Amino acid sequence: MVVLVDKDTRVIIQGITGSQGTFHSESMLMYGTKIVAGVRAGKQGEEVNGIPVYDSVKAARDAQNANASVIFVPAPFAGDAALEAIAADLNPVVVITEHVPVFDEMRIIHAAKRKDITVIGPNTPGIITPSAKQKLGIMPGHVFSGGRVGLMSRSGTLTYEIAAGMTNAGIGISTAIGLGGDPCVGLTPIEAVDLFNKDSGTDAIVLVGEIGGDAEERAAAYIKDHVKKPAVAFIAGRTAPPGKRMGHAGAIISGSSGTAAAKIEAFTDAGVPVAEKPSDIAKLLKDVL
Amino acid sequence: MVVLVDKDTRVIIQGITGSQGTFHSESMLMYGTKIVAGVRAGKQGEEVNGIPVYDSVKAARDAQNANASVIFVPAPFAGDAALEAIAADLNPVVVITEHVPVFDEMRIIHAAKRKDITVIGPNTPGIITPSAKQKLGIMPGHVFSGGRVGLMSRSGTLTYEIAAGMTNAGIGISTAIGLGGDPCVGLTPIEAVDLFNKDSGTDAIVLVGEIGGDAEERAAAYIKDHVKKPAVAFIAGRTAPPGKRMGHAGAIISGSSGTAAAKIEAFTDAGVPVAEKPSDIAKLLKDVL
Amino acid sequence: MKLFEHEAKDIFRAFGMQTPPGGVAKTPEEAKKRAAEVGKPVVVKAQVLAGKRGKAGGVKFADTPEEAAKHAEEILKMKINNLPVKAVLVEEKLDIQQEIYAGITVDRNERKYVIIGSGAGGMSIEELAEESPEKIIKHHVEPDFGLQPFEAREIAIAMGFSGKNISTLAGFFLKLWEIVKAQDVELTEINPLILTADGRFLAADARLNIDDNALYKHKKLIESLKREPMEQNEREREATQEGMAYVELDGDIACICNGAGLTMATLDAVSLYGGKASTFLDLGGGSDAERVEKGIEIAMKYGKVKAILVNIMGGITRCDEVAKGIVAAKRDGDITVPLVIRMVGTNEEEGQEILRQAGIPFLKTMEEAAQRVVSLVEEGA
Amino acid sequence: MKLFEHEAKDIFRAFGMQTPPGGVAKTPEEAKKRAAEVGKPVVVKAQVLAGKRGKAGGVKFADTPEEAAKHAEEILKMKINNLPVKAVLVEEKLDIQQEIYAGITVDRNERKYVIIGSGAGGMSIEELAEESPEKIIKHHVEPDFGLQPFEAREIAIAMGFSGKNISTLAGFFLKLWEIVKAQDVELTEINPLILTADGRFLAADARLNIDDNALYKHKKLIESLKREPMEQNEREREATQEGMAYVELDGDIACICNGAGLTMATLDAVSLYGGKASTFLDLGGGSDAERVEKGIEIAMKYGKVKAILVNIMGGITRCDEVAKGIVAAKRDGDITVPLVIRMVGTNEEEGQEILRQAGIPFLKTMEEAAQRVVSLVEEGA
């Protein structure tokens, strides 16, 4: 078993005719992802990278027996695209788009919850299961190697950094999930921990967090109470000054909660070793595996 | 078993401090209805007819262990009152108020459906179970006698007329339900037929309909396929001229569907005898019982 | 409340929907001016709150302003479905690629709004449903969620559109839904919605009924409509003001009852015994003496009335109040025709006592009462 | 986007919410005029996008217009949290019965809006949460359903209100929710909301942040705000225009990376090896050569920079483009301090080849790179 995405995942790309959709669908195809259709209203009958395009998600799903979606639709329309994928029972729905209004995020997350569908993102690099050669996202596939460690992160490039470090150290990944950098995302760290904890193909968990919010603290508490599998963590932003917005909407510190120190303390308290620098993750994993 | 309302029904009156709420709560108390609380925001601590008033439905429910509601709140606020009752898990929710905007009606009906709660009305005389001495509504209780015939109607006074005729003929009623005179009501004739069909305390069913819509035709088709208990019907508006609005929002005929003739034909086709005049209902019942 | 086509289109435009260029005219001269402003061939359309005006000759095409004036003159003299035409709408005659049907109404069975669309517009939805039911697309709207853009596109696709038309038509439906929600619309129909040769969607006709129960939210709109008094006679107007349902019919017996169902059943009973009703008058619930008297007064003003049947089943309405109203009407000389009363229910005995003391007879069942009033009229004839 | 108190109140009033009488003043004279218009004792409040202005002396009471002018003069000279005060709000000093806290913000864990209310307003919600957590009422709003009137009343009741205040306060929360939805508000806080001695609820303070991702829907509002250029220096402004995240710090090493998480981790690594960052510069995803050169250019304008660390993990960003940008910056003479490059990922080999041909060294891991740049700065010192 693998988490959320396996060899039977049949993917549609919403917004495939846009520059992002075209570029990344090619990159996904090259990686091995089973992309079976693209969607763009008004473009049915066209092809992008050899992938047939349909007017609607339902049409694409019915014609190609698809069961998952990756969304590259521009921010003002991404919420609608996600609702369309959810209405068509695709699962997971991976929303790559950044700058999605927070109200739209709340709507799609709860629409998905009502149907037990997993939304990954928005503002995520996506999800990758290396052993199945399935990448639903924009990450450079070659830095991820197959194995038995689950990786989750709120960050993009930092995830690649850590995955590359693991790969270099000979530690493979069961599934890596970019949870998304926005305040409201479909899959929370706790939910992702829970998925990995239940996955028979995952022996250990890596959590990559950053300052802002208290999602890491909550995940740490959850691990302490519910998770027996070994886990290690990295937190970015130890030296970030308070009150400054550093890129991500999430990366702003208010009050004492949300600081790197608070997060590191929570993980330490939960018995989860925290790496000082990204390359230490591999070392810590070797200790716990 | 009886339908929806029995001796354990503990009723709150929303809008009890208004003239309608005050008048009818007294009348209900006199009939025997177990009214345990009234609701009117801002009036907690007061009493109406000896009934304690609370600021919210939740407060009333929690203090008095209530499980059903009757709403007399004015039309612009009736939708909100019904949503409050539904949120507090009261069941049934009887909306006496007339002139409720149709969009509000749709909202409350579907909010109730999500929680498996029955809304009766809006624009209904209510529901009465004579054997339990429980009347949740504004009907004159003395014209209803206890027995084993289920009565449902889209009309108000016409229901009393028919109930009185049954009582005079010595035929008692298990439960009588005013479905409500508006185009959108919480309990449709089909659903009411189904309740009576499943009720071990009901031996026969009386349907009182009127021109407009095709709810009666649908109920007739449902009876034909699913109901073995004897049923009889009355339809008001045989002589109503087409295109004229006669009182009820529902009572407007458009095209061929919705005419008295079409409804009578549907019932006849389903083996449901249709009375020529209200007093014939009792005679028809004696034939089928 | 039903809106005229031009009023509905004012609302459509306020929400950013496209309609053909043009304007309203109340005289042939105004029609000429409107047509000249359009500067192209026009269509002159009767503004009446009735369907099938096309078949009644209320829609005519004109190539010149003069011709438009001529058509307007004819149309402004017409009555359609018994309603006088008081204005025409003069609009550009469109270069049609396709006629589409689009509407939103309440589905009583689902208890949801239903969006109805068809690529085969131009005829009535009833005809369409009979001739090509497979061409009618229906989509139910979840009340709390509203119409989603992707759903609107799915409707357009199901209606047979492709390419850019999908999003354009979806945008039209989204606007129409926005109007339905914002204005508490009970029914709207655009038939035809025109897809022009140059690829635009324009509402060529417009039907819009606002939920009467929600009018209290739209006082500004109602004021802005500057409606002339409804096409009602004095009696109808009076009954409306009193909140009574009043309909005049061709017979001679005025039926005054409480409750629409009971009133209809009373008319049916009169008919069953060979009589014909002149009046449907539903007093509504909880009438007091004054209101009962007022109802009798209004009913008596209709020249056809030869007898009155008061049939009251007391629920909220109290029989003693009804009796007082009848006594007052008698005393004031309002009643100049035979009167039959049937009155049971709440405070029945008190009411009957009041009638007895005033020497007014009454009956116990509606069948007796209906029979009696029919025979009284027959005797009088 | 954060709004000033007076801007937020303009929106509040546009939605029919009550605020104390008064107005904005940019000079002591204007403040005097505003106070005279109010005609009662006033409060003079610094308009800055920073909390705790009260503690910083930015809120003062005045009994006369002259006193208001004097306070305004002092406040307009202040800097609060390093931000200059450019305007004051002069408002009637209210006759307070009770101070209330009211706010709506996004709950990241529930992923819903949460309405927060407390009958014990006046202090910050953090202090309140510490001192009297039981006095803070929270209500989560279902995104598709919105705040219902009965829920608003339940909040008011839970906050300890009774009688008429329940419906009045509920009405306030419903308006606030309406504003949140209509204006895509991310966070709003009214602290205090004042219940006056005569029973009205007035927003005495107002904080309102609009979701940056939804600003595209509110162009008219943004224009109407007539904002002076943000309190940004030229470099910050330039980076904002380019869509880069740029923060200046107290150290001397400029970190130019792609992705916020990686940039933060790079700053952390620099710190770990004993260095101090001068610059957080996240180029974002998919930068081309031109954008990379622009980033280096902006970073070099900050006087404190003694070395540059470029740390790129190629994903959407292609290493060949990054290399081209660095080569161009070198060639154009933009870089006058030591430069350390670490660059891996997409098109890594092509990129490295470009650097090699230009004679620019690079490293393979971020730890090496961080160590190198720290030692270069130490050597230079």
Side-chain angles (χ1 to χ4, degrees):
Chain A
M1 199 201 115
V2 286
V3 169
L4 295 171
V5 168
D6 62 21
K7 64 180 175 45
D8 298 324
T9 305
R10 295 173 63 84
V11 183
I12 65 161
I13 307 292
Q14 289 177 255
I16 195 167
T17 58
S19 61
Q20 294 278 308
T22 302
F23 176 78
H24 288 293
S25 60
E26 186 183 8
S27 151
M28 277 184 252
L29 281 178
M30 283 170 62
Y31 183 74
T33 310
K34 285 190 183 125
I35 304 180
V36 295
V39 174
R40 175 70 166 91
K43 304 263 186 176
Q44 185 150 332
E46 296 186 8
E47 284 195 357
V48 172
N49 299 321
I51 305 160
V53 178
Y54 295 86
D55 277 338
S56 72
V57 171
K58 267 188 200 145
R61 177 201 63 187
D62 291 346
Q64 301 294 343
N65 202 16
N67 54 20
S69 177
V70 184
I71 294 175
F72 289 97
V73 170
F77 314 108
D80 179 55
L83 290 178
E84 184 176 4
I86 292 161
D89 296 313
L90 302 188
N91 188 12
V93 175
V94 182
V95 187
I96 306 296
T97 313
E98 56 179 347
H99 301 309
V100 177
V102 70
F103 191 69
D104 291 353
E105 295 183 331
M106 292 190 264
R107 286 188 66 210
I108 63 181
I109 291 164
H110 290 281
K113 281 205 173 295
R114 282 190 290 271
K115 298 185 85 175
D116 247 328
I117 286 173
T118 299
V119 168
I120 298 172
N123 190 12
T124 173
I127 177 170
I128 183 166
T129 297
S131 65
K133 283 283 161 207
Q134 291 268 45
K135 163 181 125 170
L136 278 62
I138 60 173
M139 60 283 277
H142 66 274
V143 305
F144 297 83
S145 57
R148 302 187 55 86
V149 175
L151 172 61
M152 74 181 74
S153 172
R154 278 165 66 188
S155 173
T157 44
L158 182 56
T159 314
Y160 318 156
E161 181 75 43
I162 284 169
M166 288 167 64
T167 296
N168 290 340
I171 301 172
I173 284 165
S174 54
T175 293
I177 310 175
L179 302 176
D182 287 355
C184 287
V185 292
L187 197 66
T188 61
I190 287 182
E191 291 164 341
V193 163
D194 193 47
L195 287 174
F196 284 127
N197 194 34
K198 288 181 183 148
D199 174 34
S200 61
T202 297
D203 296 336
I205 305 170
V206 178
L207 298 98
V208 181
E210 61 187 35
I211 50 171
D214 65 351
E216 289 85 359
E217 288 89 324
R218 286 171 177 257
Y222 184 84
I223 289 170
K224 193 177 180 184
D225 292 343
H226 300 97
V227 179
K228 294 242 154 50
K229 292 184 184 179
V232 304
F234 177 78
I235 298 293
R238 289 169 189 248
T239 57
K244 291 275 183 184
R245 190 178 278 258
M246 299 193 121
H248 280 188
I252 191 163
I253 317 171
S254 47
S256 62
S257 93
T259 62
K263 291 173 195 298
I264 291 167
E265 192 190 327
F267 278 124
T268 307
D269 179 53
V272 177
V274 181
E276 269 202 320
K277 42 191 199 294
S279 58
D280 290 350
I281 284 286
K283 289 174 204 155
L284 291 178
L285 277 172
K286 286 195 171 159
D287 291 345
V288 298
L289 280 170
Chain B
M1 198 200 116
V2 286
V3 169
L4 295 170
V5 168
D6 62 21
K7 65 182 175 44
D8 298 325
T9 305
R10 294 173 63 83
V11 183
I12 65 163
I13 307 294
Q14 290 178 254
I16 194 166
T17 58
S19 62
Q20 294 278 307
T22 302
F23 176 77
H24 289 293
S25 60
E26 187 185 4
S27 150
M28 278 184 252
L29 281 178
M30 281 171 62
Y31 183 73
T33 310
K34 285 191 183 123
I35 303 179
V36 296
V39 174
R40 175 68 166 92
K43 305 263 185 179
Q44 186 150 331
E46 297 186 7
E47 284 195 355
V48 173
N49 300 320
I51 305 160
V53 178
Y54 295 86
D55 278 339
S56 71
V57 170
K58 267 187 200 146
R61 177 201 63 187
D62 292 347
Q64 300 295 344
N65 202 18
N67 54 20
S69 178
V70 182
I71 295 175
F72 289 96
V73 170
F77 315 108
D80 178 56
L83 290 177
E84 183 176 5
I86 292 162
D89 296 314
L90 301 188
N91 189 11
V93 175
V94 181
V95 187
I96 305 296
T97 313
E98 56 180 347
H99 302 309
V100 176
V102 69
F103 192 68
D104 291 353
E105 294 183 331
M106 292 189 264
R107 286 187 67 212
I108 63 180
I109 291 165
H110 290 281
K113 281 204 174 294
R114 283 190 289 271
K115 298 184 86 176
D116 248 329
I117 285 172
T118 299
V119 168
I120 297 172
N123 189 11
T124 174
I127 178 170
I128 183 167
T129 297
S131 65
K133 282 284 161 206
Q134 291 267 45
K135 161 180 130 173
L136 279 64
I138 61 173
M139 60 282 276
H142 66 275
V143 304
F144 297 83
S145 58
R148 301 186 56 85
V149 174
L151 171 62
M152 71 180 74
S153 171
R154 279 165 67 189
S155 174
T157 43
L158 182 56
T159 315
Y160 318 156
E161 180 75 43
I162 284 169
M166 288 167 66
T167 295
N168 289 342
I171 301 171
I173 284 166
S174 54
T175 293
I177 310 175
L179 302 174
D182 287 355
C184 288
V185 292
L187 196 65
T188 62
I190 287 182
E191 291 164 340
V193 163
D194 194 47
L195 287 174
F196 283 127
N197 193 33
K198 288 179 184 147
D199 173 33
S200 62
T202 298
D203 295 337
I205 304 169
V206 177
L207 298 98
V208 180
E210 60 187 35
I211 50 171
D214 65 351
E216 288 85 358
E217 288 90 324
R218 287 170 178 258
Y222 184 85
I223 289 171
K224 192 177 181 182
D225 292 343
H226 300 97
V227 179
K228 293 243 155 54
K229 291 185 185 178
V232 304
F234 177 78
I235 298 294
R238 290 170 189 244
T239 57
K244 291 275 183 183
R245 191 178 277 259
M246 300 193 124
H248 280 188
I252 191 165
I253 318 171
S254 46
S256 62
S257 92
T259 61
K263 291 174 195 298
I264 291 167
E265 191 190 328
F267 278 123
T268 307
D269 180 53
V272 176
V274 181
E276 270 202 321
K277 44 191 197 295
S279 58
D280 289 350
I281 284 286
K283 289 174 204 155
L284 291 177
L285 277 172
K286 287 198 172 161
D287 291 344
V288 299
L289 278 171
Chain C
M1 186 173 80
K2 291 181 180 181
L3 300 199
F4 287 104
E5 178 190 2
H6 65 90
E7 294 170 338
K9 285 183 172 176
D10 286 345
I11 293 179
F12 283 6
R13 280 189 299 273
F15 279 79
M17 201 182 273
Q18 283 193 304
T19 63
V24 183
K26 293 192 173 175
T27 63
E29 294 67 43
E30 279 179 16
K32 189 175 167 185
K33 211 174 148 193
R34 293 290 94 78
E37 284 161 6
V38 170
K40 292 183 183 173
V42 295
V43 55
V44 181
K45 296 185 281 185
Q47 298 297 287
V48 275
L49 295 176
K52 319 218 163 163
R53 64 179 173 184
K55 283 181 186 159
V59 178
K60 293 199 158 117
F61 295 96
D63 286 329
T64 63
E66 291 70 28
E67 202 183 342
K70 213 189 85 214
H71 288 328
E73 192 171 2
E74 286 166 30
I75 293 173
L76 286 167
K77 283 178 190 155
M78 294 173 77
K79 274 199 167 195
I80 296 178
N81 204 9
N82 235 353
L83 297 167
V85 180
K86 296 193 169 176
V88 293
L89 182 59
V90 181
E91 276 184 348
E92 183 184 327
K93 188 186 164 191
L94 298 170
D95 189 5
I96 297 171
Q97 186 187 137
Q98 188 175 347
E99 289 191 308
I100 297 151
Y101 176 94
I104 303 184
T105 186
V106 175
D107 183 325
R108 295 159 172 241
N109 298 304
E110 294 289 329
R111 289 155 294 181
K112 290 177 183 174
Y113 276 107
V114 59
I115 298 186
I116 305 172
S118 175
M123 59 173 111
S124 80
I125 194 68
E126 289 86 0
E127 290 171 65
L128 199 60
E130 259 177 48
E131 291 187 19
S132 344
E134 77 290 350
K135 284 188 184 158
I136 298 181
I137 306 306
K138 290 183 183 179
H139 173 85
H140 287 95
V141 183
E142 289 296 323
D144 282 295
F145 298 87
L147 180 67
Q148 301 302 318
F150 80 87
E151 295 172 326
R153 291 194 301 273
E154 285 174 354
I155 293 168
I157 293 166
M159 284 168 67
F161 290 90
S162 61
K164 282 185 183 168
N165 287 337
I166 294 173
S167 293
T168 316
L169 183 54
F172 166 83
F173 276 115
L174 289 166
K175 279 241 180 305
L176 196 60
W177 170 250
E178 200 187 331
I179 292 167
V180 164
K181 268 201 79 171
Q183 303 294 330
D184 286 290
V185 172
E186 193 175 57
L187 180 152
T188 180
E189 215 178 47
I190 293 98
N191 191 16
L193 173 70
I194 298 293
L195 172 55
T196 60
D198 59 350
R200 293 172 303 143
F201 287 86
L202 281 89
D205 193 6
R207 193 174 157 192
L208 192 78
N209 300 356
I210 296 180
D211 179 1
D212 287 328
N213 291 344
L215 286 179
Y216 72 92
K217 297 188 216 168
H218 304 288
K219 288 191 179 135
K220 270 190 192 169
L221 169 73
I222 292 160
E223 275 172 34
S224 77
L225 293 181
K226 289 176 204 144
R227 270 293 170 81
E228 292 173 33
M230 286 275 283
E231 299 301 336
Q232 285 184 322
N233 62 38
E234 195 204 331
R235 300 174 293 276
E236 287 166 337
R237 203 153 36 237
E238 232 179 311
T240 305
Q241 277 164 6
E242 296 287 332
M244 299 171 186
Y246 176 90
V247 181
E248 293 186 349
L249 304 162
D250 288 335
D252 43 26
I253 298 169
C255 300
I256 303 177
C257 316
N258 61 329
L262 183 67
T263 314
M264 280 193 282
T266 305
L267 264 66
D268 293 349
V270 163
S271 163
L272 195 65
Y273 293 112
K276 279 192 90 180
S278 64
T279 313
F280 170 106
L281 201 169
D282 171 13
L283 294 167
S287 299
D288 57 11
E290 204 178 330
R291 195 176 156 83
V292 172
E293 188 184 356
K294 187 81 199 169
I296 293 172
E297 208 181 280
I298 293 170
M300 278 307 302
K301 287 184 185 165
Y302 183 33
K304 294 196 174 172
V305 174
K306 291 188 186 153
I308 291 178
L309 168 55
V310 175
N311 181 19
I312 299 295
M313 178 75 214
I316 325 180
T317 308
R318 286 159 50 187
C319 292
D320 52 337
E321 286 292 325
V322 174
K324 281 182 204 160
I326 293 168
V327 170
K330 268 273 187 193
R331 187 190 54 219
D332 296 352
D334 291 335
I335 307 174
T336 56
V337 297
L339 170 71
V340 176
I341 299 163
R342 183 268 184 154
M343 193 176 74
V344 294
T346 309
N347 290 7
E348 178 177 323
E349 279 157 35
E350 293 89 330
Q352 292 172 351
E353 186 53 35
I354 291 167
L355 291 181
R356 234 178 258 121
Q357 287 186 4
I360 303 172
F362 54 88
L363 296 165
K364 283 263 187 170
T365 74
M366 67 181 274
E367 285 79 6
E368 285 176 278
Q371 269 181 299
R372 169 73 60 86
V373 77
V374 171
S375 63
L376 282 176
V377 170
E378 281 167 1
E379 286 164 25
Chain D
M1 185 172 80
K2 292 181 181 180
L3 301 199
F4 287 103
E5 178 190 2
H6 65 91
E7 295 169 338
K9 285 183 171 175
D10 286 346
I11 293 179
F12 283 6
R13 278 189 301 271
F15 279 79
M17 201 183 274
Q18 283 194 302
T19 63
V24 183
K26 293 191 172 177
T27 63
E29 293 69 40
E30 280 179 14
K32 190 174 165 184
K33 211 174 145 191
R34 293 290 95 78
E37 284 161 6
V38 169
K40 293 182 184 172
V42 295
V43 54
V44 181
K45 296 186 281 183
Q47 296 298 289
V48 275
L49 296 175
K52 319 217 165 169
R53 65 181 172 180
K55 283 181 186 160
V59 177
K60 291 197 161 119
F61 294 95
D63 285 329
T64 64
E66 290 69 31
E67 202 185 342
K70 214 189 83 212
H71 288 329
E73 190 170 5
E74 284 164 32
I75 293 173
L76 286 166
K77 282 177 191 156
M78 294 172 75
K79 274 199 165 193
I80 296 178
N81 203 10
N82 234 353
L83 297 166
V85 180
K86 297 195 169 174
V88 293
L89 182 59
V90 181
E91 278 184 347
E92 183 184 328
K93 189 186 164 192
L94 298 171
D95 189 4
I96 297 173
Q97 185 186 138
Q98 187 174 349
E99 289 192 307
I100 297 151
Y101 175 94
I104 303 184
T105 185
V106 175
D107 182 326
R108 294 158 172 242
N109 298 305
E110 294 288 329
R111 290 156 295 183
K112 290 177 183 174
Y113 276 106
V114 59
I115 298 185
I116 305 172
S118 175
M123 58 173 113
S124 80
I125 193 68
E126 290 85 0
E127 289 170 66
L128 200 59
E130 259 176 47
E131 291 188 19
S132 342
E134 78 289 351
K135 284 189 185 158
I136 299 181
I137 305 307
K138 290 184 183 179
H139 173 85
H140 287 95
V141 183
E142 289 296 323
D144 282 294
F145 299 86
L147 179 67
Q148 302 302 318
F150 79 87
E151 295 171 326
R153 291 195 300 273
E154 284 175 354
I155 294 167
I157 293 166
M159 284 167 68
F161 289 90
S162 62
K164 281 186 182 169
N165 286 336
I166 294 173
S167 293
T168 316
L169 184 54
F172 166 85
F173 276 115
L174 288 166
K175 280 242 179 302
L176 196 60
W177 170 249
E178 199 188 331
I179 293 168
V180 164
K181 269 201 79 173
Q183 303 293 330
D184 285 290
V185 171
E186 195 175 55
L187 180 152
T188 180
E189 216 177 49
I190 293 98
N191 190 17
L193 172 71
I194 298 292
L195 171 55
T196 59
D198 59 349
R200 293 172 304 142
F201 288 86
L202 281 88
D205 194 6
R207 194 174 156 191
L208 193 79
N209 300 354
I210 296 179
D211 178 2
D212 287 329
N213 291 343
L215 285 179
Y216 73 92
K217 296 189 217 168
H218 304 287
K219 288 191 177 133
K220 270 190 192 168
L221 169 73
I222 293 159
E223 275 171 35
S224 77
L225 294 180
K226 289 177 201 142
R227 270 292 170 81
E228 291 174 33
M230 285 276 283
E231 300 299 334
Q232 286 184 323
N233 63 38
E234 196 204 330
R235 302 175 292 276
E236 287 167 336
R237 203 150 38 235
E238 234 179 309
T240 304
Q241 278 164 7
E242 296 286 332
M244 300 170 186
Y246 177 90
V247 181
E248 294 187 348
L249 305 161
D250 288 336
D252 42 26
I253 298 168
C255 300
I256 303 177
C257 317
N258 61 329
L262 184 66
T263 315
M264 280 194 280
T266 305
L267 264 66
D268 293 348
V270 164
S271 164
L272 196 65
Y273 294 112
K276 279 193 90 179
S278 64
T279 312
F280 170 107
L281 201 168
D282 171 13
L283 293 166
S287 298
D288 59 11
E290 204 178 330
R291 194 176 158 84
V292 172
E293 188 185 356
K294 187 79 198 171
I296 293 172
E297 209 181 279
I298 294 170
M300 278 307 303
K301 287 183 184 166
Y302 183 33
K304 293 195 173 170
V305 174
K306 288 187 186 154
I308 289 178
L309 168 55
V310 176
N311 182 20
I312 299 294
M313 178 75 214
I316 326 181
T317 308
R318 287 159 48 187
C319 290
D320 53 336
E321 285 292 324
V322 174
K324 281 182 203 161
I326 292 168
V327 170
K330 268 276 189 195
R331 187 190 56 216
D332 297 351
D334 290 336
I335 306 175
T336 55
V337 297
L339 171 71
V340 174
I341 299 163
R342 182 269 183 150
M343 193 177 73
V344 295
T346 310
N347 291 7
E348 176 178 326
E349 278 158 34
E350 293 89 329
Q352 291 172 353
E353 187 53 35
I354 291 167
L355 291 181
R356 235 179 257 119
Q357 286 184 6
I360 302 172
F362 55 87
L363 296 166
K364 284 265 189 170
T365 73
M366 67 180 275
E367 285 79 5
E368 285 175 276
Q371 271 182 299
R372 170 72 59 84
V373 78
V374 170
S375 63
L376 282 174
V377 169
E378 280 167 1
E379 285 164 24

